[in-house]
Amino acid sequence: MKLTIVEYPDKRLKEKSRVVEKFDTELHKLLDAMYESMISSNGIGLAAIQVGHAKQILLLNIPDENDAQSRDALIEMINPVIIESLGETTYQEGCLSVPSFYEDVNRFERVSVNYQDRDGNTKSIDADGLLSIAIQHEIDHLNGILFIDKLSYSRRKKFEKEYKKMQKEKKSSKTSAKE
């Protein structure tokens, strides 16, 4: 199964994801394909909606202290729910669906999350640091929220201007490559 990352401003990114009820071979194939897409795109997290599947599924693979990602560190969360959040922090975030743009976003410092694994088993995790940020970012995707939606009005306007400029540059470089 080959998946393509959906990019802003695609309206599918605003869609709310549905609860997963079947923990079957199809789900496992989707999870495996999502992992391949995330790793090949140099991502640390990916929500199913980002590959066009409106299901409450997200993956996280936080790099270790050597900046390496291991499949052993992969966290697959299905139907995640934040049950507790504490503190406040600001982190510069990026997103595979909003390429080449990074901005400071305010998040909770720590979160506790209940979720299911690929076999439907109930799990929970307490997270802080980058893992906490990534969980919140991906859960936002499941609710149709992008990190740019959390920006102040002026920062959002700046983003829109920069993004339009990048899109124009991308188009003109494709056009000149064809000539």
Side-chain angles (χ1 to χ4, degrees), residues 40-65:
S40 67
S41 302
N42 297 315
I44 63 167
L46 184 68
I49 194 67
Q50 290 180 273
V51 289
H53 293 264
K55 297 179 178 186
Q56 288 192 15
I57 300 169
L58 64 88
L59 303 183
L60 301 156
N61 196 316
I62 306 299
D64 64 18
E65 60 278 350

PDB file of all heavy atoms in Angstrom, residues 40-65:
ATOM      1  N   SER A  40      10.053   7.651   5.449  1.00  0.00           N
ATOM      2  CA  SER A  40      10.610   8.121   4.169  1.00  0.00           C
ATOM      3  C   SER A  40      10.467   9.630   4.010  1.00  0.00           C
ATOM      4  O   SER A  40      11.194  10.242   3.232  1.00  0.00           O
ATOM      5  CB  SER A  40       9.971   7.387   2.990  1.00  0.00           C
ATOM      6  OG  SER A  40       8.623   7.734   2.870  1.00  0.00           O
ATOM      7  N   SER A  41       9.562  10.241   4.768  1.00  0.00           N
ATOM      8  CA  SER A  41       9.379  11.700   4.727  1.00  0.00           C
ATOM      9  C   SER A  41      10.143  12.397   5.851  1.00  0.00           C
ATOM     10  O   SER A  41       9.981  13.601   6.047  1.00  0.00           O
ATOM     11  CB  SER A  41       7.896  12.042   4.848  1.00  0.00           C
ATOM     12  OG  SER A  41       7.156  11.449   3.823  1.00  0.00           O
ATOM     13  N   ASN A  42      10.937  11.638   6.608  1.00  0.00           N
ATOM     14  CA  ASN A  42      11.709  12.178   7.745  1.00  0.00           C
ATOM     15  C   ASN A  42      10.816  12.774   8.826  1.00  0.00           C
ATOM     16  O   ASN A  42      11.162  13.775   9.438  1.00  0.00           O
ATOM     17  CB  ASN A  42      12.737  13.216   7.278  1.00  0.00           C
ATOM     18  CG  ASN A  42      13.771  12.612   6.375  1.00  0.00           C
ATOM     19  OD1 ASN A  42      14.290  11.538   6.664  1.00  0.00           O
ATOM     20  ND2 ASN A  42      14.056  13.268   5.267  1.00  0.00           N
ATOM     21  N   GLY A  43       9.661  12.140   9.052  1.00  0.00           N
ATOM     22  CA  GLY A  43       8.753  12.619  10.084  1.00  0.00           C
ATOM     23  C   GLY A  43       8.945  11.875  11.389  1.00  0.00           C
ATOM     24  O   GLY A  43       9.525  10.790  11.431  1.00  0.00           O
ATOM     25  N   ILE A  44       8.443  12.489  12.475  1.00  0.00           N
ATOM     26  CA  ILE A  44       8.473  11.824  13.784  1.00  0.00           C
ATOM     27  C   ILE A  44       7.063  11.457  14.233  1.00  0.00           C
ATOM     28  O   ILE A  44       6.872  10.797  15.237  1.00  0.00           O
ATOM     29  CB  ILE A  44       9.173  12.677  14.866  1.00  0.00           C
ATOM     30  CG1 ILE A  44       8.414  13.979  15.120  1.00  0.00           C
ATOM     31  CG2 ILE A  44      10.621  12.930  14.486  1.00  0.00           C
ATOM     32  CD1 ILE A  44       8.867  14.725  16.369  1.00  0.00           C
ATOM     33  N   GLY A  45       6.065  11.922  13.474  1.00  0.00           N
ATOM     34  CA  GLY A  45       4.678  11.612  13.781  1.00  0.00           C
ATOM     35  C   GLY A  45       3.847  11.706  12.523  1.00  0.00           C
ATOM     36  O   GLY A  45       4.209  12.423  11.582  1.00  0.00           O
ATOM     37  N   LEU A  46       2.759  10.953  12.505  1.00  0.00           N
ATOM     38  CA  LEU A  46       1.871  10.978  11.340  1.00  0.00           C
ATOM     39  C   LEU A  46       0.486  10.527  11.780  1.00  0.00           C
ATOM     40  O   LEU A  46       0.342   9.508  12.458  1.00  0.00           O
ATOM     41  CB  LEU A  46       2.399  10.038  10.244  1.00  0.00           C
ATOM     42  CG  LEU A  46       1.635  10.032   8.919  1.00  0.00           C
ATOM     43  CD1 LEU A  46       1.803  11.361   8.181  1.00  0.00           C
ATOM     44  CD2 LEU A  46       2.115   8.883   8.036  1.00  0.00           C
ATOM     45  N   ALA A  47      -0.525  11.303  11.382  1.00  0.00           N
ATOM     46  CA  ALA A  47      -1.914  10.924  11.627  1.00  0.00           C
ATOM     47  C   ALA A  47      -2.492  10.360  10.332  1.00  0.00           C
ATOM     48  O   ALA A  47      -2.100  10.772   9.235  1.00  0.00           O
ATOM     49  CB  ALA A  47      -2.724  12.148  12.071  1.00  0.00           C
ATOM     50  N   ALA A  48      -3.412   9.424  10.455  1.00  0.00           N
ATOM     51  CA  ALA A  48      -3.985   8.773   9.276  1.00  0.00           C
ATOM     52  C   ALA A  48      -4.619   9.766   8.305  1.00  0.00           C
ATOM     53  O   ALA A  48      -4.541   9.587   7.090  1.00  0.00           O
ATOM     54  CB  ALA A  48      -5.004   7.714   9.699  1.00  0.00           C
ATOM     55  N   ILE A  49      -5.208  10.843   8.824  1.00  0.00           N
ATOM     56  CA  ILE A  49      -5.831  11.840   7.948  1.00  0.00           C
ATOM     57  C   ILE A  49      -4.791  12.468   7.025  1.00  0.00           C
ATOM     58  O   ILE A  49      -5.110  12.912   5.923  1.00  0.00           O
ATOM     59  CB  ILE A  49      -6.605  12.905   8.768  1.00  0.00           C
ATOM     60  CG1 ILE A  49      -7.537  13.734   7.869  1.00  0.00           C
ATOM     61  CG2 ILE A  49      -5.657  13.804   9.546  1.00  0.00           C
ATOM     62  CD1 ILE A  49      -8.684  12.962   7.270  1.00  0.00           C
ATOM     63  N   GLN A  50      -3.539  12.489   7.435  1.00  0.00           N
ATOM     64  CA  GLN A  50      -2.471  13.078   6.612  1.00  0.00           C
ATOM     65  C   GLN A  50      -2.136  12.219   5.397  1.00  0.00           C
ATOM     66  O   GLN A  50      -1.415  12.665   4.517  1.00  0.00           O
ATOM     67  CB  GLN A  50      -1.206  13.288   7.439  1.00  0.00           C
ATOM     68  CG  GLN A  50      -1.326  14.381   8.479  1.00  0.00           C
ATOM     69  CD  GLN A  50      -0.046  14.512   9.252  1.00  0.00           C
ATOM     70  OE1 GLN A  50       0.157  13.822  10.255  1.00  0.00           O
ATOM     71  NE2 GLN A  50       0.827  15.381   8.785  1.00  0.00           N
ATOM     72  N   VAL A  51      -2.656  10.997   5.370  1.00  0.00           N
ATOM     73  CA  VAL A  51      -2.491  10.138   4.190  1.00  0.00           C
ATOM     74  C   VAL A  51      -3.868   9.781   3.614  1.00  0.00           C
ATOM     75  O   VAL A  51      -4.025   8.784   2.934  1.00  0.00           O
ATOM     76  CB  VAL A  51      -1.646   8.866   4.493  1.00  0.00           C
ATOM     77  CG1 VAL A  51      -0.184   9.243   4.721  1.00  0.00           C
ATOM     78  CG2 VAL A  51      -2.199   8.085   5.664  1.00  0.00           C
ATOM     79  N   GLY A  52      -4.850  10.643   3.926  1.00  0.00           N
ATOM     80  CA  GLY A  52      -6.171  10.514   3.323  1.00  0.00           C
ATOM     81  C   GLY A  52      -7.112   9.516   3.959  1.00  0.00           C
ATOM     82  O   GLY A  52      -8.135   9.169   3.375  1.00  0.00           O
ATOM     83  N   HIS A  53      -6.820   9.052   5.174  1.00  0.00           N
ATOM     84  CA  HIS A  53      -7.692   8.109   5.877  1.00  0.00           C
ATOM     85  C   HIS A  53      -8.224   8.786   7.142  1.00  0.00           C
ATOM     86  O   HIS A  53      -7.463   9.025   8.083  1.00  0.00           O
ATOM     87  CB  HIS A  53      -6.931   6.830   6.248  1.00  0.00           C
ATOM     88  CG  HIS A  53      -6.530   6.016   5.057  1.00  0.00           C
ATOM     89  ND1 HIS A  53      -7.274   4.964   4.603  1.00  0.00           N
ATOM     90  CD2 HIS A  53      -5.468   6.128   4.214  1.00  0.00           C
ATOM     91  CE1 HIS A  53      -6.688   4.444   3.536  1.00  0.00           C
ATOM     92  NE2 HIS A  53      -5.592   5.136   3.281  1.00  0.00           N
ATOM     93  N   ALA A  54      -9.515   9.082   7.165  1.00  0.00           N
ATOM     94  CA  ALA A  54     -10.127   9.785   8.299  1.00  0.00           C
ATOM     95  C   ALA A  54     -10.434   8.814   9.438  1.00  0.00           C
ATOM     96  O   ALA A  54     -11.585   8.573   9.788  1.00  0.00           O
ATOM     97  CB  ALA A  54     -11.374  10.523   7.842  1.00  0.00           C
ATOM     98  N   LYS A  55      -9.379   8.248   9.989  1.00  0.00           N
ATOM     99  CA  LYS A  55      -9.511   7.294  11.096  1.00  0.00           C
ATOM    100  C   LYS A  55      -8.644   7.773  12.259  1.00  0.00           C
ATOM    101  O   LYS A  55      -7.587   8.353  12.040  1.00  0.00           O
ATOM    102  CB  LYS A  55      -9.036   5.902  10.661  1.00  0.00           C
ATOM    103  CG  LYS A  55      -9.866   5.316   9.547  1.00  0.00           C
ATOM    104  CD  LYS A  55      -9.345   3.970   9.140  1.00  0.00           C
ATOM    105  CE  LYS A  55     -10.242   3.383   8.043  1.00  0.00           C
ATOM    106  NZ  LYS A  55      -9.880   2.036   7.716  1.00  0.00           N
ATOM    107  N   GLN A  56      -9.102   7.508  13.475  1.00  0.00           N
ATOM    108  CA  GLN A  56      -8.364   7.947  14.659  1.00  0.00           C
ATOM    109  C   GLN A  56      -7.141   7.069  14.886  1.00  0.00           C
ATOM    110  O   GLN A  56      -7.116   6.203  15.772  1.00  0.00           O
ATOM    111  CB  GLN A  56      -9.275   7.963  15.880  1.00  0.00           C
ATOM    112  CG  GLN A  56     -10.272   9.089  15.824  1.00  0.00           C
ATOM    113  CD  GLN A  56     -10.985   9.284  17.143  1.00  0.00           C
ATOM    114  OE1 GLN A  56     -10.586   8.780  18.187  1.00  0.00           O
ATOM    115  NE2 GLN A  56     -12.058  10.045  17.104  1.00  0.00           N
ATOM    116  N   ILE A  57      -6.139   7.322  14.062  1.00  0.00           N
ATOM    117  CA  ILE A  57      -4.886   6.553  14.106  1.00  0.00           C
ATOM    118  C   ILE A  57      -3.739   7.548  14.020  1.00  0.00           C
ATOM    119  O   ILE A  57      -3.755   8.449  13.178  1.00  0.00           O
ATOM    120  CB  ILE A  57      -4.778   5.594  12.903  1.00  0.00           C
ATOM    121  CG1 ILE A  57      -5.936   4.599  12.886  1.00  0.00           C
ATOM    122  CG2 ILE A  57      -3.430   4.883  12.896  1.00  0.00           C
ATOM    123  CD1 ILE A  57      -6.037   3.799  11.590  1.00  0.00           C
ATOM    124  N   LEU A  58      -2.736   7.358  14.860  1.00  0.00           N
ATOM    125  CA  LEU A  58      -1.525   8.157  14.733  1.00  0.00           C
ATOM    126  C   LEU A  58      -0.310   7.312  15.097  1.00  0.00           C
ATOM    127  O   LEU A  58      -0.404   6.340  15.836  1.00  0.00           O
ATOM    128  CB  LEU A  58      -1.603   9.429  15.579  1.00  0.00           C
ATOM    129  CG  LEU A  58      -1.701   9.306  17.093  1.00  0.00           C
ATOM    130  CD1 LEU A  58      -0.325   9.233  17.734  1.00  0.00           C
ATOM    131  CD2 LEU A  58      -2.451  10.505  17.637  1.00  0.00           C
ATOM    132  N   LEU A  59       0.809   7.694  14.513  1.00  0.00           N
ATOM    133  CA  LEU A  59       2.088   7.042  14.792  1.00  0.00           C
ATOM    134  C   LEU A  59       3.054   8.080  15.325  1.00  0.00           C
ATOM    135  O   LEU A  59       3.023   9.238  14.917  1.00  0.00           O
ATOM    136  CB  LEU A  59       2.709   6.470  13.505  1.00  0.00           C
ATOM    137  CG  LEU A  59       1.920   5.478  12.674  1.00  0.00           C
ATOM    138  CD1 LEU A  59       2.775   5.025  11.503  1.00  0.00           C
ATOM    139  CD2 LEU A  59       1.497   4.291  13.505  1.00  0.00           C
ATOM    140  N   LEU A  60       3.947   7.625  16.203  1.00  0.00           N
ATOM    141  CA  LEU A  60       5.007   8.482  16.738  1.00  0.00           C
ATOM    142  C   LEU A  60       6.293   7.676  16.771  1.00  0.00           C
ATOM    143  O   LEU A  60       6.280   6.507  17.162  1.00  0.00           O
ATOM    144  CB  LEU A  60       4.661   8.942  18.150  1.00  0.00           C
ATOM    145  CG  LEU A  60       3.364   9.734  18.273  1.00  0.00           C
ATOM    146  CD1 LEU A  60       2.823   9.646  19.673  1.00  0.00           C
ATOM    147  CD2 LEU A  60       3.586  11.158  17.853  1.00  0.00           C
ATOM    148  N   ASN A  61       7.372   8.315  16.347  1.00  0.00           N
ATOM    149  CA  ASN A  61       8.676   7.665  16.418  1.00  0.00           C
ATOM    150  C   ASN A  61       9.699   8.755  16.714  1.00  0.00           C
ATOM    151  O   ASN A  61      10.263   9.362  15.807  1.00  0.00           O
ATOM    152  CB  ASN A  61       8.999   6.933  15.119  1.00  0.00           C
ATOM    153  CG  ASN A  61      10.136   5.949  15.286  1.00  0.00           C
ATOM    154  OD1 ASN A  61      11.138   6.258  15.902  1.00  0.00           O
ATOM    155  ND2 ASN A  61       9.972   4.767  14.740  1.00  0.00           N
ATOM    156  N   ILE A  62       9.895   9.006  17.997  1.00  0.00           N
ATOM    157  CA  ILE A  62      10.784  10.076  18.453  1.00  0.00           C
ATOM    158  C   ILE A  62      12.233   9.591  18.349  1.00  0.00           C
ATOM    159  O   ILE A  62      12.559   8.509  18.842  1.00  0.00           O
ATOM    160  CB  ILE A  62      10.448  10.474  19.911  1.00  0.00           C
ATOM    161  CG1 ILE A  62       8.960  10.831  20.052  1.00  0.00           C
ATOM    162  CG2 ILE A  62      11.357  11.600  20.392  1.00  0.00           C
ATOM    163  CD1 ILE A  62       8.462  11.981  19.229  1.00  0.00           C
ATOM    164  N   PRO A  63      13.099  10.389  17.714  1.00  0.00           N
ATOM    165  CA  PRO A  63      14.510   9.983  17.590  1.00  0.00           C
ATOM    166  C   PRO A  63      15.188   9.867  18.958  1.00  0.00           C
ATOM    167  O   PRO A  63      14.821  10.562  19.903  1.00  0.00           O
ATOM    168  CB  PRO A  63      15.147  11.129  16.783  1.00  0.00           C
ATOM    169  CG  PRO A  63      14.011  11.866  16.168  1.00  0.00           C
ATOM    170  CD  PRO A  63      12.822  11.650  17.050  1.00  0.00           C
ATOM    171  N   ASP A  64      16.195   8.995  19.033  1.00  0.00           N
ATOM    172  CA  ASP A  64      16.957   8.843  20.281  1.00  0.00           C
ATOM    173  C   ASP A  64      18.003   9.956  20.385  1.00  0.00           C
ATOM    174  O   ASP A  64      18.051  10.863  19.550  1.00  0.00           O
ATOM    175  CB  ASP A  64      17.590   7.439  20.362  1.00  0.00           C
ATOM    176  CG  ASP A  64      18.616   7.175  19.270  1.00  0.00           C
ATOM    177  OD1 ASP A  64      19.122   8.134  18.644  1.00  0.00           O
ATOM    178  OD2 ASP A  64      18.920   5.983  19.042  1.00  0.00           O
ATOM    179  N   GLU A  65      18.863   9.872  21.408  1.00  0.00           N
ATOM    180  CA  GLU A  65      19.863  10.922  21.642  1.00  0.00           C
ATOM    181  C   GLU A  65      20.868  11.048  20.489  1.00  0.00           C
ATOM    182  O   GLU A  65      21.523  12.066  20.328  1.00  0.00           O
ATOM    183  CB  GLU A  65      20.600  10.711  22.978  1.00  0.00           C
ATOM    184  CG  GLU A  65      21.357   9.404  23.108  1.00  0.00           C
ATOM    185  CD  GLU A  65      20.500   8.202  23.497  1.00  0.00           C
ATOM    186  OE1 GLU A  65      19.326   8.380  23.864  1.00  0.00           O
ATOM    187  OE2 GLU A  65      21.018   7.082  23.424  1.00  0.00           O
TER     188      GLU A  65
END
